[in-house]
Amino acid sequence: EKGEAAVDPLSLKAILENDQVQKLIFDPRSDADALHHHFGVSLQNVMCVQVAELALRKSKGLKVRLLSSMARVLEEHANLDPTDLRHFQVLKSAGKKLIVADDSKVWDQRPLKPELLLYAAFDVRHLFGLFDNIWSALSEEMRAKVVAESGTRARFYETAEYDPSDRRMAEAPEL
């Protein structure tokens, strides 16, 4: 359109905002907040793996109060061999120490520390298989709930309730 800057359809912004391209994210709330406020990106068609895992537990009739961490979901659903699991635990521990010690500002530093690159890469490496394992076990009804809640979580930063440091962020939403 006239007056608007042309957007390269293959730019990261265009892909993240494309509602025809599904994005898998484990808990998109903070990522969506950062992408929107730092780069003007509004995530579209997000599938939250954390919510899918919650739906799986609820579909088994479990009473669920808290969301599972990425570490727990990987351990329980990714079918990692013991060596990969130990490697994952070491990477996560090293990454968390850096994040806690520097109050999450470590993500602002460039270049990123190698421990953080490995921390992030390991999550992504297993995300698709993890999601497939969980998604295949869900009913169509639960899948629809996951899709709806995933979209809500990708826009949660827009609400007055959004506070990434609030312990209530770990509470499981109703599905």
PDB file of all heavy atoms in Angstrom, residues 9-47:
ATOM      1  N   PRO A   9       8.394 -10.551   2.108  1.00  0.00           N
ATOM      2  CA  PRO A   9       7.570 -11.681   2.554  1.00  0.00           C
ATOM      3  C   PRO A   9       8.388 -12.791   3.210  1.00  0.00           C
ATOM      4  O   PRO A   9       7.838 -13.652   3.869  1.00  0.00           O
ATOM      5  CB  PRO A   9       6.885 -12.165   1.277  1.00  0.00           C
ATOM      6  CG  PRO A   9       7.719 -11.647   0.166  1.00  0.00           C
ATOM      7  CD  PRO A   9       8.357 -10.384   0.664  1.00  0.00           C
ATOM      8  N   LEU A  10       9.697 -12.767   3.041  1.00  0.00           N
ATOM      9  CA  LEU A  10      10.549 -13.768   3.662  1.00  0.00           C
ATOM     10  C   LEU A  10      11.275 -13.230   4.898  1.00  0.00           C
ATOM     11  O   LEU A  10      12.116 -13.913   5.462  1.00  0.00           O
ATOM     12  CB  LEU A  10      11.560 -14.312   2.654  1.00  0.00           C
ATOM     13  CG  LEU A  10      10.943 -15.054   1.469  1.00  0.00           C
ATOM     14  CD1 LEU A  10      12.019 -15.515   0.517  1.00  0.00           C
ATOM     15  CD2 LEU A  10      10.083 -16.217   1.938  1.00  0.00           C
ATOM     16  N   SER A  11      10.942 -12.013   5.305  1.00  0.00           N
ATOM     17  CA  SER A  11      11.558 -11.474   6.516  1.00  0.00           C
ATOM     18  C   SER A  11      11.012 -12.230   7.716  1.00  0.00           C
ATOM     19  O   SER A  11       9.924 -12.812   7.679  1.00  0.00           O
ATOM     20  CB  SER A  11      11.261  -9.986   6.662  1.00  0.00           C
ATOM     21  OG  SER A  11       9.898  -9.788   7.005  1.00  0.00           O
ATOM     22  N   LEU A  12      11.760 -12.208   8.788  1.00  0.00           N
ATOM     23  CA  LEU A  12      11.310 -12.888  10.007  1.00  0.00           C
ATOM     24  C   LEU A  12       9.994 -12.293  10.493  1.00  0.00           C
ATOM     25  O   LEU A  12       9.089 -13.022  10.896  1.00  0.00           O
ATOM     26  CB  LEU A  12      12.388 -12.807  11.087  1.00  0.00           C
ATOM     27  CG  LEU A  12      12.111 -13.574  12.368  1.00  0.00           C
ATOM     28  CD1 LEU A  12      11.824 -15.049  12.089  1.00  0.00           C
ATOM     29  CD2 LEU A  12      13.274 -13.432  13.331  1.00  0.00           C
ATOM     30  N   LYS A  13       9.857 -10.981  10.436  1.00  0.00           N
ATOM     31  CA  LYS A  13       8.613 -10.321  10.851  1.00  0.00           C
ATOM     32  C   LYS A  13       7.431 -10.838  10.024  1.00  0.00           C
ATOM     33  O   LYS A  13       6.389 -11.173  10.573  1.00  0.00           O
ATOM     34  CB  LYS A  13       8.745  -8.805  10.715  1.00  0.00           C
ATOM     35  CG  LYS A  13       7.469  -8.026  11.063  1.00  0.00           C
ATOM     36  CD  LYS A  13       7.698  -6.528  10.934  1.00  0.00           C
ATOM     37  CE  LYS A  13       6.485  -5.667  11.087  1.00  0.00           C
ATOM     38  NZ  LYS A  13       5.617  -5.859  12.188  1.00  0.00           N
ATOM     39  N   ALA A  14       7.604 -10.913   8.712  1.00  0.00           N
ATOM     40  CA  ALA A  14       6.521 -11.373   7.839  1.00  0.00           C
ATOM     41  C   ALA A  14       6.136 -12.821   8.153  1.00  0.00           C
ATOM     42  O   ALA A  14       4.951 -13.171   8.169  1.00  0.00           O
ATOM     43  CB  ALA A  14       6.922 -11.234   6.375  1.00  0.00           C
ATOM     44  N   ILE A  15       7.117 -13.642   8.417  1.00  0.00           N
ATOM     45  CA  ILE A  15       6.841 -15.051   8.735  1.00  0.00           C
ATOM     46  C   ILE A  15       6.133 -15.164  10.080  1.00  0.00           C
ATOM     47  O   ILE A  15       5.133 -15.886  10.214  1.00  0.00           O
ATOM     48  CB  ILE A  15       8.142 -15.872   8.708  1.00  0.00           C
ATOM     49  CG1 ILE A  15       8.672 -15.941   7.275  1.00  0.00           C
ATOM     50  CG2 ILE A  15       7.926 -17.264   9.283  1.00  0.00           C
ATOM     51  CD1 ILE A  15      10.090 -16.460   7.154  1.00  0.00           C
ATOM     52  N   LEU A  16       6.605 -14.452  11.085  1.00  0.00           N
ATOM     53  CA  LEU A  16       5.998 -14.524  12.414  1.00  0.00           C
ATOM     54  C   LEU A  16       4.577 -13.980  12.431  1.00  0.00           C
ATOM     55  O   LEU A  16       3.741 -14.430  13.217  1.00  0.00           O
ATOM     56  CB  LEU A  16       6.863 -13.780  13.432  1.00  0.00           C
ATOM     57  CG  LEU A  16       8.217 -14.416  13.736  1.00  0.00           C
ATOM     58  CD1 LEU A  16       9.051 -13.502  14.614  1.00  0.00           C
ATOM     59  CD2 LEU A  16       8.054 -15.785  14.370  1.00  0.00           C
ATOM     60  N   GLU A  17       4.282 -13.017  11.545  1.00  0.00           N
ATOM     61  CA  GLU A  17       2.939 -12.447  11.484  1.00  0.00           C
ATOM     62  C   GLU A  17       2.034 -13.137  10.469  1.00  0.00           C
ATOM     63  O   GLU A  17       0.845 -12.825  10.392  1.00  0.00           O
ATOM     64  CB  GLU A  17       3.030 -10.955  11.175  1.00  0.00           C
ATOM     65  CG  GLU A  17       3.636 -10.167  12.322  1.00  0.00           C
ATOM     66  CD  GLU A  17       3.665  -8.669  12.084  1.00  0.00           C
ATOM     67  OE1 GLU A  17       3.644  -8.231  10.911  1.00  0.00           O
ATOM     68  OE2 GLU A  17       3.702  -7.929  13.090  1.00  0.00           O
ATOM     69  N   ASN A  18       2.560 -14.080   9.725  1.00  0.00           N
ATOM     70  CA  ASN A  18       1.785 -14.789   8.710  1.00  0.00           C
ATOM     71  C   ASN A  18       0.882 -15.824   9.374  1.00  0.00           C
ATOM     72  O   ASN A  18       1.368 -16.762  10.006  1.00  0.00           O
ATOM     73  CB  ASN A  18       2.740 -15.461   7.720  1.00  0.00           C
ATOM     74  CG  ASN A  18       2.017 -16.099   6.553  1.00  0.00           C
ATOM     75  OD1 ASN A  18       0.859 -16.515   6.655  1.00  0.00           O
ATOM     76  ND2 ASN A  18       2.707 -16.191   5.438  1.00  0.00           N
ATOM     77  N   ASP A  19      -0.428 -15.659   9.226  1.00  0.00           N
ATOM     78  CA  ASP A  19      -1.351 -16.594   9.869  1.00  0.00           C
ATOM     79  C   ASP A  19      -1.465 -17.924   9.124  1.00  0.00           C
ATOM     80  O   ASP A  19      -2.158 -18.831   9.573  1.00  0.00           O
ATOM     81  CB  ASP A  19      -2.719 -15.956  10.083  1.00  0.00           C
ATOM     82  CG  ASP A  19      -3.428 -15.602   8.796  1.00  0.00           C
ATOM     83  OD1 ASP A  19      -2.876 -15.814   7.703  1.00  0.00           O
ATOM     84  OD2 ASP A  19      -4.560 -15.089   8.881  1.00  0.00           O
ATOM     85  N   GLN A  20      -0.770 -18.059   8.008  1.00  0.00           N
ATOM     86  CA  GLN A  20      -0.756 -19.323   7.263  1.00  0.00           C
ATOM     87  C   GLN A  20       0.437 -20.208   7.660  1.00  0.00           C
ATOM     88  O   GLN A  20       0.519 -21.351   7.244  1.00  0.00           O
ATOM     89  CB  GLN A  20      -0.700 -19.051   5.757  1.00  0.00           C
ATOM     90  CG  GLN A  20      -1.865 -18.246   5.229  1.00  0.00           C
ATOM     91  CD  GLN A  20      -3.199 -18.918   5.503  1.00  0.00           C
ATOM     92  OE1 GLN A  20      -3.405 -20.059   5.144  1.00  0.00           O
ATOM     93  NE2 GLN A  20      -4.103 -18.208   6.179  1.00  0.00           N
ATOM     94  N   VAL A  21       1.335 -19.643   8.459  1.00  0.00           N
ATOM     95  CA  VAL A  21       2.518 -20.378   8.900  1.00  0.00           C
ATOM     96  C   VAL A  21       2.404 -20.609  10.397  1.00  0.00           C
ATOM     97  O   VAL A  21       2.392 -19.656  11.177  1.00  0.00           O
ATOM     98  CB  VAL A  21       3.824 -19.596   8.598  1.00  0.00           C
ATOM     99  CG1 VAL A  21       5.043 -20.354   9.109  1.00  0.00           C
ATOM    100  CG2 VAL A  21       3.940 -19.298   7.110  1.00  0.00           C
ATOM    101  N   GLN A  22       2.299 -21.873  10.782  1.00  0.00           N
ATOM    102  CA  GLN A  22       2.178 -22.191  12.200  1.00  0.00           C
ATOM    103  C   GLN A  22       3.538 -22.105  12.893  1.00  0.00           C
ATOM    104  O   GLN A  22       4.544 -22.550  12.352  1.00  0.00           O
ATOM    105  CB  GLN A  22       1.606 -23.595  12.385  1.00  0.00           C
ATOM    106  CG  GLN A  22       1.304 -23.924  13.829  1.00  0.00           C
ATOM    107  CD  GLN A  22       0.655 -25.275  13.954  1.00  0.00           C
ATOM    108  OE1 GLN A  22       1.286 -26.289  13.712  1.00  0.00           O
ATOM    109  NE2 GLN A  22      -0.625 -25.279  14.299  1.00  0.00           N
ATOM    110  N   LYS A  23       3.535 -21.498  14.078  1.00  0.00           N
ATOM    111  CA  LYS A  23       4.743 -21.377  14.880  1.00  0.00           C
ATOM    112  C   LYS A  23       4.575 -22.173  16.163  1.00  0.00           C
ATOM    113  O   LYS A  23       3.579 -22.001  16.866  1.00  0.00           O
ATOM    114  CB  LYS A  23       5.012 -19.903  15.257  1.00  0.00           C
ATOM    115  CG  LYS A  23       5.690 -19.047  14.211  1.00  0.00           C
ATOM    116  CD  LYS A  23       4.892 -18.775  12.982  1.00  0.00           C
ATOM    117  CE  LYS A  23       3.783 -17.761  13.177  1.00  0.00           C
ATOM    118  NZ  LYS A  23       3.010 -17.504  11.965  1.00  0.00           N
ATOM    119  N   LEU A  24       5.524 -23.058  16.465  1.00  0.00           N
ATOM    120  CA  LEU A  24       5.519 -23.802  17.718  1.00  0.00           C
ATOM    121  C   LEU A  24       6.384 -23.057  18.720  1.00  0.00           C
ATOM    122  O   LEU A  24       7.543 -22.751  18.445  1.00  0.00           O
ATOM    123  CB  LEU A  24       6.113 -25.199  17.525  1.00  0.00           C
ATOM    124  CG  LEU A  24       5.307 -26.213  16.748  1.00  0.00           C
ATOM    125  CD1 LEU A  24       6.056 -27.538  16.686  1.00  0.00           C
ATOM    126  CD2 LEU A  24       3.941 -26.414  17.358  1.00  0.00           C
ATOM    127  N   ILE A  25       5.821 -22.776  19.876  1.00  0.00           N
ATOM    128  CA  ILE A  25       6.549 -22.077  20.929  1.00  0.00           C
ATOM    129  C   ILE A  25       6.153 -22.702  22.261  1.00  0.00           C
ATOM    130  O   ILE A  25       4.994 -23.055  22.467  1.00  0.00           O
ATOM    131  CB  ILE A  25       6.226 -20.568  20.946  1.00  0.00           C
ATOM    132  CG1 ILE A  25       6.550 -19.926  19.600  1.00  0.00           C
ATOM    133  CG2 ILE A  25       6.981 -19.864  22.070  1.00  0.00           C
ATOM    134  CD1 ILE A  25       6.237 -18.446  19.521  1.00  0.00           C
ATOM    135  N   PHE A  26       7.112 -22.825  23.140  1.00  0.00           N
ATOM    136  CA  PHE A  26       6.806 -23.276  24.486  1.00  0.00           C
ATOM    137  C   PHE A  26       6.569 -22.039  25.331  1.00  0.00           C
ATOM    138  O   PHE A  26       7.501 -21.305  25.647  1.00  0.00           O
ATOM    139  CB  PHE A  26       7.959 -24.111  25.064  1.00  0.00           C
ATOM    140  CG  PHE A  26       7.567 -24.865  26.297  1.00  0.00           C
ATOM    141  CD1 PHE A  26       7.066 -26.143  26.200  1.00  0.00           C
ATOM    142  CD2 PHE A  26       7.669 -24.273  27.536  1.00  0.00           C
ATOM    143  CE1 PHE A  26       6.673 -26.840  27.334  1.00  0.00           C
ATOM    144  CE2 PHE A  26       7.282 -24.959  28.672  1.00  0.00           C
ATOM    145  CZ  PHE A  26       6.786 -26.247  28.580  1.00  0.00           C
ATOM    146  N   ASP A  27       5.329 -21.780  25.661  1.00  0.00           N
ATOM    147  CA  ASP A  27       4.895 -20.605  26.412  1.00  0.00           C
ATOM    148  C   ASP A  27       5.295 -19.311  25.698  1.00  0.00           C
ATOM    149  O   ASP A  27       6.337 -18.723  25.984  1.00  0.00           O
ATOM    150  CB  ASP A  27       5.445 -20.599  27.833  1.00  0.00           C
ATOM    151  CG  ASP A  27       4.816 -19.497  28.686  1.00  0.00           C
ATOM    152  OD1 ASP A  27       3.944 -18.750  28.181  1.00  0.00           O
ATOM    153  OD2 ASP A  27       5.207 -19.372  29.855  1.00  0.00           O
ATOM    154  N   PRO A  28       4.459 -18.842  24.793  1.00  0.00           N
ATOM    155  CA  PRO A  28       4.796 -17.670  23.982  1.00  0.00           C
ATOM    156  C   PRO A  28       4.657 -16.322  24.678  1.00  0.00           C
ATOM    157  O   PRO A  28       4.984 -15.295  24.101  1.00  0.00           O
ATOM    158  CB  PRO A  28       3.791 -17.766  22.831  1.00  0.00           C
ATOM    159  CG  PRO A  28       2.597 -18.409  23.448  1.00  0.00           C
ATOM    160  CD  PRO A  28       3.172 -19.416  24.419  1.00  0.00           C
ATOM    161  N   ARG A  29       4.213 -16.286  25.912  1.00  0.00           N
ATOM    162  CA  ARG A  29       3.861 -15.004  26.528  1.00  0.00           C
ATOM    163  C   ARG A  29       5.016 -14.004  26.548  1.00  0.00           C
ATOM    164  O   ARG A  29       4.865 -12.876  26.075  1.00  0.00           O
ATOM    165  CB  ARG A  29       3.292 -15.230  27.930  1.00  0.00           C
ATOM    166  CG  ARG A  29       1.957 -15.986  27.887  1.00  0.00           C
ATOM    167  CD  ARG A  29       1.462 -16.355  29.241  1.00  0.00           C
ATOM    168  NE  ARG A  29       2.349 -17.335  29.866  1.00  0.00           N
ATOM    169  CZ  ARG A  29       2.128 -17.905  31.044  1.00  0.00           C
ATOM    170  NH1 ARG A  29       1.051 -17.588  31.734  1.00  0.00           N
ATOM    171  NH2 ARG A  29       2.967 -18.793  31.536  1.00  0.00           N
ATOM    172  N   SER A  30       6.147 -14.376  27.086  1.00  0.00           N
ATOM    173  CA  SER A  30       7.266 -13.428  27.170  1.00  0.00           C
ATOM    174  C   SER A  30       7.879 -13.152  25.799  1.00  0.00           C
ATOM    175  O   SER A  30       8.262 -12.017  25.507  1.00  0.00           O
ATOM    176  CB  SER A  30       8.332 -13.954  28.129  1.00  0.00           C
ATOM    177  OG  SER A  30       7.822 -13.954  29.441  1.00  0.00           O
ATOM    178  N   ASP A  31       7.970 -14.190  24.968  1.00  0.00           N
ATOM    179  CA  ASP A  31       8.519 -13.993  23.623  1.00  0.00           C
ATOM    180  C   ASP A  31       7.633 -13.049  22.818  1.00  0.00           C
ATOM    181  O   ASP A  31       8.128 -12.148  22.128  1.00  0.00           O
ATOM    182  CB  ASP A  31       8.654 -15.330  22.890  1.00  0.00           C
ATOM    183  CG  ASP A  31       9.707 -16.227  23.510  1.00  0.00           C
ATOM    184  OD1 ASP A  31      10.638 -15.714  24.166  1.00  0.00           O
ATOM    185  OD2 ASP A  31       9.602 -17.453  23.338  1.00  0.00           O
ATOM    186  N   ALA A  32       6.317 -13.252  22.899  1.00  0.00           N
ATOM    187  CA  ALA A  32       5.388 -12.385  22.159  1.00  0.00           C
ATOM    188  C   ALA A  32       5.487 -10.945  22.655  1.00  0.00           C
ATOM    189  O   ALA A  32       5.474 -10.006  21.855  1.00  0.00           O
ATOM    190  CB  ALA A  32       3.956 -12.902  22.312  1.00  0.00           C
ATOM    191  N   ASP A  33       5.622 -10.783  23.954  1.00  0.00           N
ATOM    192  CA  ASP A  33       5.775  -9.454  24.543  1.00  0.00           C
ATOM    193  C   ASP A  33       7.041  -8.777  24.012  1.00  0.00           C
ATOM    194  O   ASP A  33       7.004  -7.640  23.542  1.00  0.00           O
ATOM    195  CB  ASP A  33       5.828  -9.582  26.064  1.00  0.00           C
ATOM    196  CG  ASP A  33       6.068  -8.273  26.781  1.00  0.00           C
ATOM    197  OD1 ASP A  33       5.537  -7.236  26.337  1.00  0.00           O
ATOM    198  OD2 ASP A  33       6.779  -8.280  27.807  1.00  0.00           O
ATOM    199  N   ALA A  34       8.156  -9.488  24.052  1.00  0.00           N
ATOM    200  CA  ALA A  34       9.433  -8.912  23.595  1.00  0.00           C
ATOM    201  C   ALA A  34       9.392  -8.614  22.101  1.00  0.00           C
ATOM    202  O   ALA A  34       9.818  -7.533  21.665  1.00  0.00           O
ATOM    203  CB  ALA A  34      10.577  -9.870  23.908  1.00  0.00           C
ATOM    204  N   LEU A  35       8.877  -9.539  21.313  1.00  0.00           N
ATOM    205  CA  LEU A  35       8.819  -9.321  19.861  1.00  0.00           C
ATOM    206  C   LEU A  35       7.949  -8.110  19.527  1.00  0.00           C
ATOM    207  O   LEU A  35       8.278  -7.322  18.642  1.00  0.00           O
ATOM    208  CB  LEU A  35       8.295 -10.572  19.149  1.00  0.00           C
ATOM    209  CG  LEU A  35       9.278 -11.722  19.063  1.00  0.00           C
ATOM    210  CD1 LEU A  35       8.555 -13.013  18.655  1.00  0.00           C
ATOM    211  CD2 LEU A  35      10.390 -11.399  18.074  1.00  0.00           C
ATOM    212  N   HIS A  36       6.840  -7.966  20.223  1.00  0.00           N
ATOM    213  CA  HIS A  36       5.938  -6.848  19.944  1.00  0.00           C
ATOM    214  C   HIS A  36       6.561  -5.511  20.357  1.00  0.00           C
ATOM    215  O   HIS A  36       6.567  -4.564  19.577  1.00  0.00           O
ATOM    216  CB  HIS A  36       4.605  -7.046  20.659  1.00  0.00           C
ATOM    217  CG  HIS A  36       3.666  -5.913  20.446  1.00  0.00           C
ATOM    218  ND1 HIS A  36       3.000  -5.719  19.256  1.00  0.00           N
ATOM    219  CD2 HIS A  36       3.321  -4.881  21.238  1.00  0.00           C
ATOM    220  CE1 HIS A  36       2.274  -4.625  19.336  1.00  0.00           C
ATOM    221  NE2 HIS A  36       2.446  -4.103  20.531  1.00  0.00           N
ATOM    222  N   HIS A  37       7.075  -5.456  21.562  1.00  0.00           N
ATOM    223  CA  HIS A  37       7.564  -4.171  22.074  1.00  0.00           C
ATOM    224  C   HIS A  37       8.929  -3.762  21.528  1.00  0.00           C
ATOM    225  O   HIS A  37       9.219  -2.572  21.453  1.00  0.00           O
ATOM    226  CB  HIS A  37       7.550  -4.177  23.604  1.00  0.00           C
ATOM    227  CG  HIS A  37       6.161  -4.114  24.141  1.00  0.00           C
ATOM    228  ND1 HIS A  37       5.486  -5.217  24.587  1.00  0.00           N
ATOM    229  CD2 HIS A  37       5.293  -3.082  24.244  1.00  0.00           C
ATOM    230  CE1 HIS A  37       4.267  -4.866  24.964  1.00  0.00           C
ATOM    231  NE2 HIS A  37       4.128  -3.573  24.763  1.00  0.00           N
ATOM    232  N   HIS A  38       9.749  -4.718  21.134  1.00  0.00           N
ATOM    233  CA  HIS A  38      11.070  -4.368  20.597  1.00  0.00           C
ATOM    234  C   HIS A  38      11.091  -4.250  19.080  1.00  0.00           C
ATOM    235  O   HIS A  38      11.870  -3.481  18.529  1.00  0.00           O
ATOM    236  CB  HIS A  38      12.127  -5.387  21.037  1.00  0.00           C
ATOM    237  CG  HIS A  38      12.413  -5.364  22.503  1.00  0.00           C
ATOM    238  ND1 HIS A  38      13.113  -4.349  23.108  1.00  0.00           N
ATOM    239  CD2 HIS A  38      12.070  -6.225  23.485  1.00  0.00           C
ATOM    240  CE1 HIS A  38      13.194  -4.597  24.410  1.00  0.00           C
ATOM    241  NE2 HIS A  38      12.568  -5.727  24.660  1.00  0.00           N
ATOM    242  N   PHE A  39      10.231  -5.041  18.397  1.00  0.00           N
ATOM    243  CA  PHE A  39      10.309  -5.094  16.940  1.00  0.00           C
ATOM    244  C   PHE A  39       8.974  -4.868  16.236  1.00  0.00           C
ATOM    245  O   PHE A  39       8.894  -4.958  15.015  1.00  0.00           O
ATOM    246  CB  PHE A  39      10.889  -6.449  16.500  1.00  0.00           C
ATOM    247  CG  PHE A  39      12.227  -6.738  17.122  1.00  0.00           C
ATOM    248  CD1 PHE A  39      12.350  -7.657  18.145  1.00  0.00           C
ATOM    249  CD2 PHE A  39      13.362  -6.064  16.695  1.00  0.00           C
ATOM    250  CE1 PHE A  39      13.579  -7.912  18.731  1.00  0.00           C
ATOM    251  CE2 PHE A  39      14.592  -6.312  17.266  1.00  0.00           C
ATOM    252  CZ  PHE A  39      14.707  -7.235  18.297  1.00  0.00           C
ATOM    253  N   GLY A  40       7.900  -4.617  16.998  1.00  0.00           N
ATOM    254  CA  GLY A  40       6.598  -4.381  16.383  1.00  0.00           C
ATOM    255  C   GLY A  40       5.998  -5.612  15.736  1.00  0.00           C
ATOM    256  O   GLY A  40       5.168  -5.506  14.838  1.00  0.00           O
ATOM    257  N   VAL A  41       6.368  -6.788  16.196  1.00  0.00           N
ATOM    258  CA  VAL A  41       5.871  -8.048  15.641  1.00  0.00           C
ATOM    259  C   VAL A  41       4.676  -8.526  16.464  1.00  0.00           C
ATOM    260  O   VAL A  41       4.740  -8.567  17.689  1.00  0.00           O
ATOM    261  CB  VAL A  41       6.974  -9.134  15.657  1.00  0.00           C
ATOM    262  CG1 VAL A  41       6.407 -10.499  15.269  1.00  0.00           C
ATOM    263  CG2 VAL A  41       8.121  -8.746  14.738  1.00  0.00           C
ATOM    264  N   SER A  42       3.602  -8.887  15.774  1.00  0.00           N
ATOM    265  CA  SER A  42       2.432  -9.478  16.422  1.00  0.00           C
ATOM    266  C   SER A  42       2.319 -10.926  15.954  1.00  0.00           C
ATOM    267  O   SER A  42       1.891 -11.176  14.821  1.00  0.00           O
ATOM    268  CB  SER A  42       1.159  -8.705  16.080  1.00  0.00           C
ATOM    269  OG  SER A  42       1.232  -7.406  16.608  1.00  0.00           O
ATOM    270  N   LEU A  43       2.723 -11.839  16.817  1.00  0.00           N
ATOM    271  CA  LEU A  43       2.705 -13.264  16.451  1.00  0.00           C
ATOM    272  C   LEU A  43       1.304 -13.721  16.043  1.00  0.00           C
ATOM    273  O   LEU A  43       0.325 -13.378  16.697  1.00  0.00           O
ATOM    274  CB  LEU A  43       3.162 -14.112  17.634  1.00  0.00           C
ATOM    275  CG  LEU A  43       4.628 -14.093  17.986  1.00  0.00           C
ATOM    276  CD1 LEU A  43       4.866 -14.885  19.274  1.00  0.00           C
ATOM    277  CD2 LEU A  43       5.454 -14.664  16.863  1.00  0.00           C
ATOM    278  N   GLN A  44       1.251 -14.501  14.992  1.00  0.00           N
ATOM    279  CA  GLN A  44      -0.001 -15.083  14.512  1.00  0.00           C
ATOM    280  C   GLN A  44       0.173 -16.590  14.370  1.00  0.00           C
ATOM    281  O   GLN A  44       1.273 -17.078  14.104  1.00  0.00           O
ATOM    282  CB  GLN A  44      -0.382 -14.497  13.142  1.00  0.00           C
ATOM    283  CG  GLN A  44      -0.557 -12.999  13.139  1.00  0.00           C
ATOM    284  CD  GLN A  44      -1.697 -12.544  14.026  1.00  0.00           C
ATOM    285  OE1 GLN A  44      -2.778 -13.116  14.023  1.00  0.00           O
ATOM    286  NE2 GLN A  44      -1.444 -11.517  14.811  1.00  0.00           N
ATOM    287  N   ASN A  45      -0.925 -17.321  14.534  1.00  0.00           N
ATOM    288  CA  ASN A  45      -0.953 -18.772  14.354  1.00  0.00           C
ATOM    289  C   ASN A  45       0.122 -19.459  15.194  1.00  0.00           C
ATOM    290  O   ASN A  45       0.960 -20.199  14.693  1.00  0.00           O
ATOM    291  CB  ASN A  45      -0.821 -19.144  12.875  1.00  0.00           C
ATOM    292  CG  ASN A  45      -1.220 -20.588  12.618  1.00  0.00           C
ATOM    293  OD1 ASN A  45      -1.671 -21.303  13.503  1.00  0.00           O
ATOM    294  ND2 ASN A  45      -1.034 -21.016  11.387  1.00  0.00           N
ATOM    295  N   VAL A  46       0.056 -19.191  16.487  1.00  0.00           N
ATOM    296  CA  VAL A  46       0.997 -19.775  17.443  1.00  0.00           C
ATOM    297  C   VAL A  46       0.379 -21.015  18.070  1.00  0.00           C
ATOM    298  O   VAL A  46      -0.798 -21.017  18.427  1.00  0.00           O
ATOM    299  CB  VAL A  46       1.342 -18.754  18.553  1.00  0.00           C
ATOM    300  CG1 VAL A  46       2.128 -19.400  19.675  1.00  0.00           C
ATOM    301  CG2 VAL A  46       2.100 -17.583  17.967  1.00  0.00           C
ATOM    302  N   MET A  47       1.175 -22.046  18.199  1.00  0.00           N
ATOM    303  CA  MET A  47       0.759 -23.246  18.903  1.00  0.00           C
ATOM    304  C   MET A  47       1.654 -23.369  20.124  1.00  0.00           C
ATOM    305  O   MET A  47       2.871 -23.473  19.998  1.00  0.00           O
ATOM    306  CB  MET A  47       0.903 -24.477  18.013  1.00  0.00           C
ATOM    307  CG  MET A  47       0.260 -25.697  18.600  1.00  0.00           C
ATOM    308  SD  MET A  47      -1.534 -25.571  18.753  1.00  0.00           S
ATOM    309  CE  MET A  47      -2.003 -25.488  17.047  1.00  0.00           C
TER     310      MET A  47
END
